[in-house]
Each structure stands twice: as C-alpha cells, then as structure tokens.
C-alpha cells in the first residue's frame, strides 16, 4: 500500500532541501508547488509531531496548540507532495521531522493512529 504525503513549507529552499533528504528512501512522483496566496492556512503541525511514541515529548505541539498555530501570521507558500510505500513511511516521516516541514491536522491524525 502507498501513502500520499504532503508537507508544507514557508520557502522553496526548505522544500528543496527536504526533497533532497527524502531521496534516500524510496519515494515516487515527488513535486514541489507554490501555494496560491490565501487569507488563511489549513491547520498545520510541525512534522516533528509525528513521533512513534503515544505521548508527546518536550517541544511537541499537541492538538490543543493547533488553534494558536493556525491563528498565527505564519504563511506557508510551498507544498512538497510524494508517494511512499507503507514500509518506508516511517523513515519518510522521520526525515520530515528533522526539517522545517509542517503537515496538516488530517495527516497528523491519520499517521498517529
């Protein structure tokens, strides 16, 4: 089974750097696109929130913190999309967690079950 992952970035450089790091695990159909300017961003969480433990560790943003994140003036202008196989998803999420990537709340919920 394959998973479609989307990671949001504030700038193109961070997205490109992350894509280069992801090349070490098997991903396919990777692309970086700019996000049209909008007045709001979706509820986004830093990718470092995607840990394998069930309890958040220090510095991890929890669901309660999402509202303050969404209400901030931060704007994400680039999206990195790719497909990864089930057996490689954990490695891909680990790589994302060490970058400036943010994932939407739906992805957070789906990947932390």
């Amino acid at each position: 089974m394959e998973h479609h992952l989307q990671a949001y970035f504030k700038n193109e450089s961070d997205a490109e750097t992350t894509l280069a790091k992801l090349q070490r695990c098997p991903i396919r159909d990777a692309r970086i696109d700019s996000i049209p300017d909008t007045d709001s961003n979706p509820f986004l969480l830093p990718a470092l929130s995607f840990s394998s433990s069930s309890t958040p560790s220090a510095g991890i943003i929890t669901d309660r913190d999402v509202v303050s994140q969404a209400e901030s003036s931060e704007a994400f202008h680039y999206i990195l999309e790719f497909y990864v196989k089930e057996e490689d998803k954990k490695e891909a999420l680990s790589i994302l967690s060490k970058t400036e990537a943010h994932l939407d709340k739906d992805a957070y919920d789906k990947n932390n079950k």
Side-chain angles (χ1 to χ4, degrees):
M1 178 173 163
E2 281 193 323
H3 297 276
H4 178 242
L5 294 180
Q6 297 176 317
Y8 298 83
F9 297 88
K10 294 176 190 172
N11 61 62
E12 187 174 18
S13 177
D14 288 343
E16 293 284 352
T17 300
T18 300
L19 177 56
K21 291 177 182 180
L22 283 167
Q23 297 302 325
R24 74 174 93 146
C25 76
I27 62 171
R28 71 173 184 83
D29 296 339
R31 69 182 188 158
I32 295 172
D33 284 323
S34 62
I35 300 171
D37 288 335
T38 61
D39 291 337
S40 64
N41 279 308
F43 289 137
L44 300 177
L45 294 169
L48 62 88
S49 298
F50 293 85
S51 65
S52 58
S53 70
S54 58
T55 56
S57 55
I60 301 296
I61 292 181
T62 61
D63 288 353
R64 183 180 59 201
D65 300 315
V66 174
V67 174
S68 62
Q69 177 76 16
E71 291 175 353
S72 76
S73 61
E74 290 185 297
F76 296 89
H77 300 286
Y78 291 89
I79 185 170
L80 166 61
E81 298 182 81
F82 61 93
Y83 289 88
V84 63
K85 291 182 180 179
E86 176 72 36
E87 59 268 20
D88 299 315
K89 182 176 83 168
K90 187 174 182 178
E91 181 182 0
L93 289 173
S94 175
I95 292 168
L96 289 173
S97 75
K98 297 172 185 157
T99 69
E100 296 297 318
H102 284 65
L103 304 172
D104 67 42
K105 187 175 181 323
D106 289 340
Y108 175 87
D109 292 342
K110 183 178 179 181
N111 287 301
N112 276 313
K113 288 185 177 183

